[in-house]
Every structure is written in structure tokens, then in C-alpha cells.
Amino acid sequence: MLNAQPEKTFIRNKAAQVFALVFVTEYLTKWPKFFFDILSVVGLNPRGVDLYLRILMAIDAEVVDRDVIHTAEEARRNTLLKDTMREQCIPNLVESWYQILQTYQQSNSELTCQCLEVIGSYVSWIDLTLIANDRFINMLLSHLSVEVLREEACDCLYEIVNKGMDPIDKTKLVESLCQVLQSAGFFSINQEEDVDFLARFSKLVNGMGQSLIISWSKLVKAGDLKSAQDTLQSIESKVPLMLQLLVHEDDDISSNIIVFCYEYLQILKQLAMLSNQQKANLEAVMLAVIKKLTYDDEYNFENEGEDEAMFVEYRKQLKLLLDRLAQVSPELLLTSVRRVFNNTLQNWQTTPFMEVEVAIRLLFMLGEAIPASHGAHFCGDAAKASVLQDMMRTLVTSGVSAYNHTSVTLEYFETVVRYEKFFAVEPIHIPNILMAFLDHRGLRHASPKVRSRTAYLFSRFVKSLHKQMNTFVEDILRRIQDLLELSPPENGFQTLLTSDDQLFIYETAGVLIVNSDYPADRKHILMRNLLSPLMEKFKILLEKLMLEQDEERQSVLADCLNHSVGFASRTSKAFSNKQTVKQCGCSEVYLDCLRTFLPALSCPVQKEVLRGGVRTFLHRMIICLEEEVLPFIPTASEHMLKDCEAKDLQEFIPLINQITAKFKTQVSAFLQQVFMPLLHAIFEMLIRPAEENDQSASLDKQMLRRSYFAFLQTVSGSGMSEVIANQGPENVERVLFTVIQGAVEYPDPIAQKTCFIILSKLVELWGGKDGLVGFADFVYKHIVPACFLAPLKPSFDLTDAQTVLALSECAVTMKTIYIKRGLECIHYLQQEYLPSLQVAPEIIQEFCQALQQPDAKVFKNYLKVFFQRAKP
């Protein structure tokens, strides 16, 4: 206060935070006069007032702010602080605010705004009558006419209106405030030019509307129908103002009133019968939504930035209003959309793009606003089906698909695909739609954005209408031929579609071939025609890559090779249980693909990219070709295990798991052969030293360890435990010790859970009297201790959900040992192991009784309690 120059703002904010923390810790015990002391020093000195107001805001942030998550203890403390403040000093604080406002409202707008912000923050939990009285309200209303104060005054009034209170009192408060605002001319929206103020005013009106609706709901619930009717009239009287704000050209002003509008529609939905005025209000909301959905001239479709993103979000809010309108009066919505749609499409050639786009958009939005089970919009409710069918017929016959604007084109194709079931009802339109997809309007459009989206939509369209596509299959395949070309980067030719877009085109081609009515030999020829060019290109590019020295060129070639594998893989998504690869006569084509792609695994450069692509293709072929893929697996595995990194191994293991789980004993010989080489590669990778702070390497190792345990789980759980047993005593022991290590030593509950699943499975298989030689000793020396040592570790957090699952599997392991070894296990625990842990005799007795309970859940629950007590 005494410095010649004021402190910098951040220093003042930090000082306020320090005071607030002192307040929180000292106010209830050592410094009950906290506020009085500060006020006595500050007086009305402007710099002192500034700090005082900042302290009050910092206290609000510490004690009241609802966006901050407090612990239960903090919440109790905060409640006590507020209660004590209410008793001891709130009236004095309120008086100080009034004095500050009176003193500075004309001379220091910054302090006045700060004070209004403080009032707005505190009003939610103090006695409202201290603020909602003539002297304060009159002052706030006078601030609404002062340019530099009006926005903050508006926000302060919003907080006052939002304060929870008796519904009848709330209605009176809002009504009196509205009368004053109206008589002061604030309801004349069209005469107000300050859009920033109008945005705040819109928020205030929204708050008043919401408050009245909450009051109405409470009164209806309480059965006070007279007061409820009065409140409803009060709500209705605000609707004209709400509509003016909703339709305002500034989207922020409109957006701020949407919640009031939405909740008003909710009231209308609950009323048994609507008055003529309410029906007119509904229609007005409908027209406002249609108007506000429309793009403005400034929207930049080529380079969408923050403003465009905000409009997209705003459109989502309007969609919610449209959906609610549909719930109140689906007939009105259908009629309104039909009128706008038909009027616009009659003259689309001379209509601005934004009006054409919004007309089609409204038709699109009807699909969600008036939903139908599984998209069956064209059956059931005859009136609705007829209107939608008429509009769809108009859409596809009007020629609007030729409109030269990306927004209209995209909306057209989105709507066609949303209502694909229309084409099952009127298949006569399919050829025209296919042409629109395939020519300059769709996949060959000048805009990459349109081409990309159309590729996806075309694939959806063909998939959903594959039964209607039979007569067009070969024509479509011929027309998309150039879009299927794998474009090697060196020819400088810019393809129409990106490789991601081409994936959809390949999938579409696959769907057309597989679902056609052609005999198997014809499907085989078409599929070979589709995939042969890929295979030829792949061979040429692989040769080039082998010879290429430049790393950048190598990377480009490898990506191209990877795309070709991805395209072939994507065509296989068309097959199903009804239409298998074998039934379609396509096995040989995909086997040829395998023969073509597998040599890439031995390529000395760009291994990660090439192996990733081929591995994904193998995953698909295991599903599609079934046992026909098996002869290729050993060679592929051998190459993938050469010179590999942790990530390669981690991604290779799921492939082995898939083969093991699917083919089980059919692949036992292969598993025997690959088991130890795979494990040696994993072990070597896990013991490889890494820099202490290399988090990436540490994470890679953790993920590899998880993959390794998942592999052992798959082998032991697929009836293939003899694969482990046949690896020789030393190797078996080494594997078992890694599982024990995983269960106990690594603080990774996901891996621990898997390890206990493996251990309980092996105990089940080998733990009986005629089990694996020496395994019973291993159970007592290592598995039983693991079941105790793991949960006793400090890192084993029993409040963590994953850890609780690991403990659950630990309980299953103990239970399985008891089932397999019987009383011998109980004797070992009672006489040897638990006494060695210094467990009290009565607890040992309790533990063994729980273990012998027939219901496994009893022991699981007990084990959690046991370790909670045992841990320090």
C-alpha cells in the first residue's frame, strides 16, 4: 500500500494465495479476526482494496470452488470454515463490498469489476437477502448502463439468480428483476450493438429461465398447481426474449440461451395439451434452429480453424434442440423439414450453397431425431415412411449431387448412406447413385477431402446393399480399376486417393466379389484379377528395396510394400462364416499372396515396417485360410525371430498365441520347435542393459514381459502343457522360475495376475500324485511362498483394481494347490511355512479353515483381509 509503484499482478496473486492458505490453517483456531484485521489495515486504500479482493477470490478457490476435487477431510474443514464465516463476519464483508462499490464505481472500474466478481462467487453460499435487496440490486442495475461495468454486473446478477432458494421466492425474485430490466430497455435486443454484453445478458436470461423451470418442477412435484401455473406463465413470458436471443446472428449469444430453450421444450413435452401460443413457440424454435444451422459466408471450408471448430460444436447444440423438438412434436418437425427441403431442392441450381446444404442436412438429421430400429425408416409408421421416402426420392432424382460445393456434396453422400434402406425399397435409383459415387462428384472429385470421405461412404453403401449389387459387380470393378493401382513413389504420379482411402476401395472390391451370385470359379478369377497386380508390383518393389542404398528411398519403398500387403489383407474382411475363402474358391489366391509377401521377412533393411505388415496379413490368414496357413508358419517365425528388437518380439507373440489357441495339438510339433528359440530371444532381450532413465526401453521390457507371460498362459491353457514339459528339466525349471519371478518381483499387477493364472493351471495339470516328477517339491518350495511374498510386497497395492484381480488369481492358485495336495498342503502351511513367517497360531488356524471352505469366494475374500492385516 505504501510503495510508490504497485506490485506486479502475479506478485499480488501469489500474496493473495499465501493469505488464503494462512486463512485456511489459522482462521478457526488462532486468527478469528482475520478479515477484521485485514479490513482495518486496508480501509479504502485502492491498492489495499485490490489485495483484499484478491484474497477473497483466493479463499473462494481454496474453500468453495466446485471444480476442485476435495478429500472428505478437506470438505469437512471447508464446511466448518463457511459456517464460521456466516456466523462471525459475512455481514461485515458484504458491507465492505457495498462501500467499495459506492466508492469506486465511478472512479476505478477495475476494482469495481473485481468486487462484482467477489460478490458473484460468494453469493452461492451466503444469506441471499444480504445481496438481493434494493440497495445492491439498484446499484447492479445502474452498472448495467456503464460500459466498463455492465458485463461483470450481468455475471453478478446471473449468480444471484442461480442461488438455490424456495421456488415461490425464486419466481418473485426473477420476475421483479425482469420487470426492472424490461422497463430499463434491456429487452430491446435489436437496439443493442455491444455483442460481448449481449452474450453475458443472454447467459443471464438463460439463468433466469432455468431457475424458473426448476421452480416449476418443484412446485408440480409438491402438488402446488396454482403456484406452478403462475411460474409457467412467468416462463412463457420470457419465451419471446429467448427466441430473439436464439436467432441472433452472433453464435455466442445464441449458444448461451440454448439450455433454457432445451428445458422449455422439455416442459412442453410433459404437458398434456399445448395452447396455440405454445404451438407457435414450437414452430418459432424450429425456424430459429433451421436458420442458425446455416453456414455463414465467412466459413472457411478449405482451411478450417478455431472459428470453424466452434461453429461445428454450436451445430451439435442445435442438433440437441432439433432432437428435443422431435420428441415434443414429430409431426411438426417432419412438416417443417419437408417444406424447407422441397422448396430448396426445387430451385437448387439458383440457391446459395448454405441453404442447399442445410436443407439436405435437415433430412440427414431426421434419421436421429426420429429414430427407427436398425435404420428401418421406410416401414412401420406409414406417414413418416411416406414423407421420408418422398424426400429421398427428391434428393436422388433432383440432380443436386452435381452442386458445385464440397459441403453440399458431402452432405448428399452422408444422407444417401444414412438412408441406404431406401434403395432396398426403390432399387431403381441405385445405378444413378453408383455413378455419383464413381465419377467427378465422388471418388474423382476435385477436393481431396470429398474423395477421402466418399471412399469410406462408398464402402458402407456397397456393404449394406450387397444383395442389390449383383448386376453391377463387374462394371464397378472395371470403373474403380485405376483407383486400385499401387502408385510407386518414384513415378511422380499423384494418386487421387491416399493409401488409407484405397483400403476402403479394396475392401469394397472384396465385398462385391465375395457377396456376388457368381460361382466359385468366377469369384476366384475376379479375386485373382484384383490381387495379381498387387503381387506383381510387390515383387518388383522388393527387388528394388534390396538394392537401394539411400535410407530415405528405402523408407518410401518399404511403406509402398506395406500398403500392398495391407490392401490384400483388407480384401479378406469381406469373407464371413457363410462365405468362407474356401467356399468362394479363393484359397489359392491368398496362398499365392502369402508366397509373395513372406520373402519380405528376410529383407535386411526396413525390417520393422515390413515385418509389421506381413505379421498383420498372417493374423488375417489364420482366420481366413485356417489350417492351409500352417505350412507357412515355421519359416515366417524363423525369419521374425532373427535380429529382432523387444517391440518385434512383443508383436510376434500374439501371432503365436493366435496359432496355439486356434489349432492347439495341430501345431504341437511347431511349438516344440519354436518354444526355446523364442524364449531365448525373449530372455536375451530382457537381460540386455538399458540406461537408467530410458523410460521407453523400460516400458518396452515391461510390455515384452507381459507378452511372454501371455504366451505361457496360452500354451498352458490350450492343453499344450507337454510343450513346456518336453523342453528338458533345466529349461522347464528356468521357465518356472521366470513365472515365480513375474508373480513376486515385478510391480506390475497385470503380469502378476497372468503369472498366478499360469501357476494355478500348472498345479492343476502337474500338481497331483502322478504329475511331473519333482513338481510337488517346486510347489512347496516356490509356488506357496510366491502366494505370500507377492501380496506382502509394499508395491502390491490392495486399493488398486488390477492388483485386486492379481490377488484373486493368487487365491485361485492356493486353492488349486489345496485341491491337488489335500491335507498334506494344510499340514505344510500349519507346521512349516506360516510359522516361518511368524504368523500367530490362531491366524494360521483361521487361514487354513478359510482355505478348506468349499466356496472359493470365501477364501478370496478372506485372503484380502488377511493381507490387509499383515501389511504394515
Side-chain angles (χ1 to χ4, degrees), residues 274-285:
L274 299 185
S275 68
N276 289 336
Q277 184 56 55
Q278 286 166 335
K279 286 175 186 172
N281 290 344
L282 259 186
E283 195 149 359
V285 172

Side-chain angles (χ1 to χ4, degrees), residues 718-855:
S718 300
M720 308 281 283
S721 59
E722 75 278 0
V723 170
I724 304 173
N726 293 343
Q727 299 302 319
E730 277 185 27
N731 286 332
V732 172
E733 193 172 290
R734 187 175 182 190
V735 169
L736 290 174
F737 275 121
T738 61
V739 181
I740 295 292
Q741 204 177 16
V744 177
E745 290 182 21
Y746 300 113
D748 177 3
I750 292 172
Q752 288 176 298
K753 180 183 85 169
T754 311
C755 288
F756 280 118
I757 291 171
I758 297 164
L759 291 171
S760 65
K761 190 68 190 172
L762 293 179
V763 170
E764 185 190 315
L765 295 166
W766 298 343
K769 303 288 186 242
D770 52 354
L772 198 68
V773 177
F775 189 72
D777 275 354
F778 186 84
V779 168
Y780 291 126
K781 283 182 184 170
H782 301 289
I783 298 181
V784 170
C787 291
F788 289 89
L789 296 176
L792 287 169
K793 288 256 178 184
S795 58
F796 200 88
D797 178 8
L798 289 168
T799 62
D800 170 67
Q802 287 293 346
T803 307
V804 170
L805 292 175
L807 183 67
S808 182
E809 294 303 334
C810 171
V812 173
T813 305
M814 280 296 308
K815 193 81 180 164
T816 310
I817 294 170
Y818 165 66
I819 290 165
K820 298 304 285 189
R821 305 303 303 179
L823 291 173
E824 174 191 287
C825 163
I826 300 296
H827 183 266
Y828 173 73
L829 289 168
Q830 282 179 331
Q831 304 301 318
E832 293 184 44
Y833 188 69
L834 290 175
S836 76
L837 296 178
Q838 274 84 49
V839 179
E842 63 275 15
I843 302 292
I844 294 176
Q845 191 63 30
E846 194 183 271
F847 183 94
C848 291
Q849 280 174 352
L851 181 58
Q852 292 174 81
Q853 289 289 329
D855 185 353

Side-chain angles (χ1 to χ4, degrees), residues 520-769:
D521 57 345
R522 184 69 189 141
K523 287 183 183 180
H524 170 91
I525 291 166
L526 290 173
M527 194 60 86
R528 188 166 287 286
N529 291 345
L530 178 65
L531 296 178
S532 287
L534 277 182
M535 290 188 261
E536 293 307 314
K537 209 57 132 327
F538 187 92
K539 288 171 188 168
I540 295 164
L541 290 173
L542 187 58
E543 279 181 33
K544 280 188 179 176
L545 178 59
M546 295 282 204
L547 300 169
E548 184 58 61
Q549 299 299 311
D550 179 64
E551 265 190 47
E552 204 173 308
R553 293 276 311 127
Q554 284 177 359
S555 173
V556 170
L557 285 165
D559 281 343
C560 209
L561 285 161
N562 203 21
H563 292 152
S564 60
V565 179
F567 296 156
S569 190
R570 195 61 169 259
T571 59
S572 71
K573 287 188 81 172
F575 297 104
S576 62
N577 293 335
K578 288 180 185 172
Q579 296 276 8
T580 64
V581 178
K582 208 173 264 184
Q583 287 167 336
C584 294
C586 295
S587 299
E588 199 52 45
V589 185
Y590 285 100
L591 289 168
D592 281 350
C593 284
L594 269 173
R595 293 182 191 104
T596 305
F597 298 153
L598 286 180
L601 293 174
S602 54
C603 182
V605 293
Q606 297 292 317
K607 286 181 294 209
E608 188 179 339
V609 176
L610 295 175
R611 285 178 178 180
V614 174
R615 192 169 48 240
T616 304
F617 188 67
L618 278 167
H619 276 296
R620 286 293 313 153
M621 291 306 101
I622 289 165
I623 296 165
C624 296
L625 292 173
E626 300 202 328
E627 61 277 352
E628 287 183 273
V629 82
L630 291 177
F632 298 91
I633 298 298
T635 315
S637 301
E638 189 185 330
H639 285 302
M640 282 195 258
L641 285 172
K642 269 185 195 159
D643 310 321
C644 53
E645 295 299 317
K647 198 163 184 290
D648 298 322
L649 278 173
Q650 182 197 319
E651 289 172 350
F652 171 64
I653 290 169
L655 183 70
I656 299 295
N657 289 350
Q658 186 187 8
I659 293 163
T660 306
K662 186 170 180 68
F663 300 113
K664 296 186 170 65
T665 51
Q666 282 175 275
V667 291
S668 60
F670 158 69
L671 273 178
Q672 296 277 12
Q673 175 194 336
V674 81
F675 190 84
M676 282 322 292
L678 173 59
L679 264 57
H680 285 312
I682 293 169
F683 296 157
E684 187 189 325
M685 205 60 67
L686 290 174
I687 60 169
R688 191 181 287 179
E691 287 182 28
E692 197 174 330
N693 295 325
D694 188 345
Q695 289 188 331
S696 174
S698 173
L699 183 62
D700 279 348
K701 282 190 178 182
Q702 184 190 49
M703 300 311 287
L704 177 58
R705 207 176 282 117
R706 283 185 189 176
S707 297
Y708 162 61
F709 293 132
F711 169 59
L712 292 181
Q713 183 190 348
T714 305
V715 172
S716 58
S718 300
M720 308 281 283
S721 59
E722 75 278 0
V723 170
I724 304 173
N726 293 343
Q727 299 302 319
E730 277 185 27
N731 286 332
V732 172
E733 193 172 290
R734 187 175 182 190
V735 169
L736 290 174
F737 275 121
T738 61
V739 181
I740 295 292
Q741 204 177 16
V744 177
E745 290 182 21
Y746 300 113
D748 177 3
I750 292 172
Q752 288 176 298
K753 180 183 85 169
T754 311
C755 288
F756 280 118
I757 291 171
I758 297 164
L759 291 171
S760 65
K761 190 68 190 172
L762 293 179
V763 170
E764 185 190 315
L765 295 166
W766 298 343
K769 303 288 186 242

Side-chain angles (χ1 to χ4, degrees), residues 444-512:
R444 289 174 174 77
H445 196 279
S447 161
K449 184 178 171 184
V450 172
R451 295 197 299 269
S452 179
R453 185 66 182 163
T454 307
Y456 162 71
L457 292 171
F458 181 50
S459 126
R460 271 187 55 190
F461 185 75
V462 169
K463 265 196 268 189
S464 53
L465 290 168
H466 61 80
K467 288 177 183 164
Q468 281 81 20
M469 291 291 149
N470 204 50
T471 50
F472 312 110
V473 171
E474 298 205 38
D475 187 30
I476 296 172
L477 290 173
R478 192 167 57 254
R479 288 175 187 273
I480 61 174
Q481 192 66 47
D482 61 319
L483 301 173
L484 295 166
E485 280 184 27
L486 184 71
S487 176
E490 67 268 16
N491 65 12
F493 172 67
Q494 190 64 45
T495 53
L496 281 171
L497 299 177
T498 67
S499 55
D500 284 347
D501 301 333
Q502 281 182 294
L503 285 169
F504 290 114
I505 304 301
Y506 269 95
E507 186 178 348
T508 305
V511 168
L512 286 166

Side-chain angles (χ1 to χ4, degrees), residues 204-218:
L204 171 60
V205 176
N206 190 67
M208 292 194 292
Q210 279 186 276
S211 296
L212 289 172
I213 288 169
I214 290 167
S215 296
W216 177 81
S217 300
K218 285 179 179 173

Side-chain angles (χ1 to χ4, degrees), residues 82-187:
K82 286 188 287 185
D83 288 346
T84 310
M85 283 176 71
R86 285 190 197 100
E87 285 171 25
Q88 294 180 359
C89 65
I90 286 296
N92 303 77
L93 295 186
V94 171
E95 186 56 39
S96 76
W97 301 338
Y98 186 74
Q99 295 303 326
I100 291 166
L101 291 177
Q102 255 205 330
T103 306
Y104 291 110
Q105 62 185 341
Q106 289 173 334
S107 60
N108 191 326
S109 60
E110 195 177 327
L111 282 183
T112 307
C113 286
Q114 268 180 269
C115 190
L116 290 171
E117 190 183 355
V118 167
I119 295 170
S121 296
Y122 278 68
V123 80
S124 68
W125 59 274
I126 65 174
D127 179 2
L128 188 64
T129 57
L130 294 170
I131 303 291
N133 50 49
D134 286 349
R135 67 174 190 158
F136 261 105
I137 296 293
N138 289 338
M139 188 182 280
L140 289 171
L141 290 169
S142 72
H143 292 166
L144 288 177
S145 305
V146 181
E147 195 171 333
V148 287
L149 305 180
R150 62 199 316 217
E151 289 179 29
E152 208 59 65
C154 221
D155 284 350
C156 191
L157 285 169
Y158 170 80
E159 295 299 338
I160 292 169
V161 164
N162 257 16
K163 163 90 172 173
M165 59 192 291
D166 172 79
I168 295 174
D169 291 343
K170 173 61 71 76
T171 303
K172 285 177 184 168
L173 172 69
V174 171
E175 271 306 288
S176 62
L177 188 56
C178 279
Q179 282 167 11
V180 177
L181 288 169
Q182 191 165 10
S183 59
F186 287 106
F187 282 19

